[in-house]
Amino acid sequence: MELYQKTIHEIAADLKAKKVSSVELTKATMAHLKAVEPKVQSFITVTEEVALAQAAEADKRLASGSNITPLTGVPLGIKDLLCTKGVQTTCASKMLEGFKPPYNATVVERLNAAGAIMVGKTNMDEFAMGSSTESSYYMKTKNPWNLSCVPGGSSGGSASCVSADQAFASLGSDTGGSIRQPAALCGIVGLKPTYGRVSRYGLIAFASSLDQIGPMTKDVEDCALMMNVIAGHDEKDSTSANVAVPDYTTEMKKSIKGLKIGIPKEFFPEGMNPEVTEATKKAIDQLKSLGAEVHEISLPHSPYSLAAYYVLAPSEASSNLARYDGVRYGLRVPGENIVEMYSKTRAAGFGPEVKRRIMLGTYALSSGYYDAYYLKALKVRRLIKQDYDKAFEKVDIIVTPTVPNPAFKFGEKTDNPLTMYLEDVFTISINIAGVPGLSLPCGLSKTGLPIGLQMIGKPFDEATLLKAAYAYEQSTDWHKRKPSLKEN
Amino acid sequence: MALSEKDVQYVAKLARLEVTEQEVAKYTQQLGNILGYIEEMGKLDTSNVEPLTHPLDMKNVFREDVVVPSLTQTEVLSNGPEVQSGHFKVPKIM
Amino acid sequence: MAFEDYEPVIGLEVHCELKTATKLFCGCPTTFGNEANTQVCPVCLGLPGTLPVMNGKAVEFAVKIGHSLNCNIADYSKMDRKNYYYPDLPKAYQVSQYDKPLNYGGYLDIVTKEGTKRIGVTRAHLEEDAGKLVHAGGKSGRLDSSDYSLADYNRGGIPLVEIVSEPDIRSSEEAHAYLTALKSILLYIDVSDCNMEEGSLRCDANVSIRKKGTEKFGTRTEIKNMNSFKFVKQAIEYEIKRQAAVLDKGERVIQESRLWDVTENKTKSMRSKEEAHDYRYFPEPDLVPIILDKAYVQKLKVELPELPGAKRARFEKDHGLTAYDAGVLTSEQELGQWFEVGAKLTKNPKGFANWMMGDMAAQMKEQEKELQDLKFDQKKLAELVDLVDAETINSKQAKEVFLALFNEGVSPAEVVKSKGMAQVSDPKAIEAAVDKVLADNPNVVADYKSGKQGVIGFLVGKVMQASQGKANPKMVNEIIKKKLDV
Ligand SMILES: [Mg+2]
Ligand SMILES: [Zn+2]
């Protein structure tokens, strides 16, 4: 096994035992990254210089033997909507080409403090709007399991780079499924934490009341290790909750005997891909055999979550993306006067999907339509949240498929935006309710594409999710499968 | 509520997006479809439901009134597409 | 229709910058007058990814303003985004308050010629200020003729409280009185510098007119860009006349924003290609609601100082001042405090007040002195008041003593002593002087006797002159009259 194929917990042991230095590891990882990058195209920016400097620092730390964390010296990918000081941060948009933030996102600061290495900024859907990473201005990231398929999105680059061993783990962001869906499609673990669990400071906003940063990793233990570093209150984010953070690796290893699992009937609609239904049911049986109790539950308003989402998210986005006006940073297209400059800049800087959502959100908030769309969606949001509150009175976690289908081919869903939006039908209500959701591999389709299992938890109870996921993972070997990096 | 091309033009103007005629036609059709889907929500009776703006039940997050160093002028202007004598320069407003 | 047949209906929107040390949502300083774009951080520059964190002091100041304007303090309040594009607004939305303002339903009493009048305060909400634009190039540096503009975000994000009045104001004088009273309160409670030149107090006026006796409001215009109370008064007066002329011609007033042009003394249409405002307000998702603890709100109320209105009433009652005098002495907190200390040191607080508002105010203005620069305290001024009341010196001498007091800080009793100024009130001495003057001026005496009683002033003057100003003028007057009227 090559060094870069290991997990964080494996390589951390090697680094600590000085079997390998961080510089050696980083160089080896970087060489592999570059070798496969033409095939998968995970990165908008490869930060080799930064990585080697960080690795040299990490080696000093490792040599001193003090202040070592499981991430010290470990190469990671960072989604290109997380601000990195002095390093281009584009949100995969032409609008922000060349933009170098003068500050670091809080999560980046925390990774730096832990001694982690940044190998690059990963590709994504433009401004995180999409489910296939096809809306990136820069490149099309490929699914390592089948290069003619999409990696999912919006955190497609963050998923593919972990799946293809270009980084040991990555950070993604999830507004309606953007961590879990690509994690499912690329056969890795992805966790969207509770809203407020991880600081959003430095995350370039798509929809502020839904966005959350989370880890994308090769296995559940790595996910817990990443959470140990990034979770917790940040005074720079008013919506970051001051709730104690447990040691996730300790919690994770506890037994799931007697754990109550809810299966919502609304998440198994007729006409769903039978392979996905099959894999999910098998996984539920597996959990049962490990001691969990299974209950059928109902989340009656979840069929409305996609509709509510396509009001709430674009509305917030239309305001969040108004600042790209060509005045202070980013693209400017000259104009005769200010209005012309604004309109030309924004027309040239944003791609079609971003424009579509800005238009949709602007419309939903505009005078005369606010009550019918925005206010209505906020009320539906309460109903959806209440469904979860009620369900969690009876069960500890909820288990569903992550995505209705395995990865699809490029261009398959770009003509009709609605079909693309339906990709997120199982993940969206979790963001609306603000609860945590995790996806982990639970099977492969006949064509060799990964299938994801979604676990949904109580607010701030990521520990139980990780515990259930770890128990399941340890009893299967889906997480040990490696992609072919070939076209099919 | 049927979406008209006039609506699309109005919204594009509000959002400061220059749109071509073809784009207006395309958006009218696409946004119309999406809105049709969104209007599914109308089936739910929400007359007695309070809106929920935020998933978290938080209040009163306040900061101390203590000065933190600002950026330097060079840093502030470093990403500016056009700057002049310490300012961001913009074309005429009227 | 005659101008007098119209009744103006005026509402004022005042933006007041709070004097917190830092901005509303970031730690940048709020100091005025520094080099452009040096008080700016990623948050107030609206850089992608940044988030606001509310300044608790700003909330405290805003609640104090609410209390002092007799407002209800909201049980539940929240911030909203007001979306519009303008290059002074870095995020292309202003974080403000829409349907749940922090303070609502208050009032402010103003003093007018007709007595006190109550002006409703609709709301006083918290929001962030925008940056500043310099309109450059072109001929004049004015907005409508410049080639380009330059943006400075030092001011962007400074906390503002927007105070909106009900349309209860009926004249430019009332508008002026409202602003004066409001400014006085804001200074009393120490939440703002209220400096109009530096822009820490700004006022827009909504003005309409209607036929006297009718109920329905006319179409209003919004007047902006008035950076002194004087201009507010002038602009409102101009606008009332302009609207009256429009109606008299049988035309209709257009609802629009108008700018006050200081050089031409008129309001001018902003002529923007009037796109209907559609601010798309919605709750700011990056901030959480403000649900203040009742005890905290009450504590802020208890801690407020005595406000100008209450102090005015007390000065009238306790010190026998007229409404006008009480108004002057309570217009600034320090003035009222200075007076109150002095009022306790004399039996004649009214006389003390007269000195303060008369010679003392005049000298302070002339010599550009503030209260804290004075070389004397209230005890010494009270001494002067008592010397006059005891008729130890006359009013003319008192003026001289006051100058010595003001310029050198010497005690009035000592001035009187050292200069031998004590007033001559000895009837015999005065009689002697009077006799001499009457004897020296037989023609004048004859004039008097023939009925020209006015000449008595001349004779009094002569006696005063002879006594080197020391004679008691009242006694001189009485003695002359007694002698001539025999
Ligand atoms: Mg305002
Ligand atoms: Zn700042």
Side-chain angles (χ1 to χ4, degrees), chain B residues 10 54 60 63 65 73 86 88, chain C residues 22-23 37 54 278 285 291:
Chain B
Y10 171 72
H54 230 269
N60 301 342
R63 169 177 69 76
D65 187 24
Q73 194 191 58
F88 295 94
Chain C
T22 65
K23 294 184 178 181
N37 293 310
M54 178 71 83
D278 193 336
I291 304 170

Side-chain angles (χ1 to χ4, degrees), chain A residues 376 379 383, chain B residues 44-50:
Chain A
K376 181 79 184 184
K379 290 177 170 186
L383 294 174
Chain B
L44 282 175
D45 178 10
T46 52
S47 45
N48 292 317
V49 181
E50 278 293 305

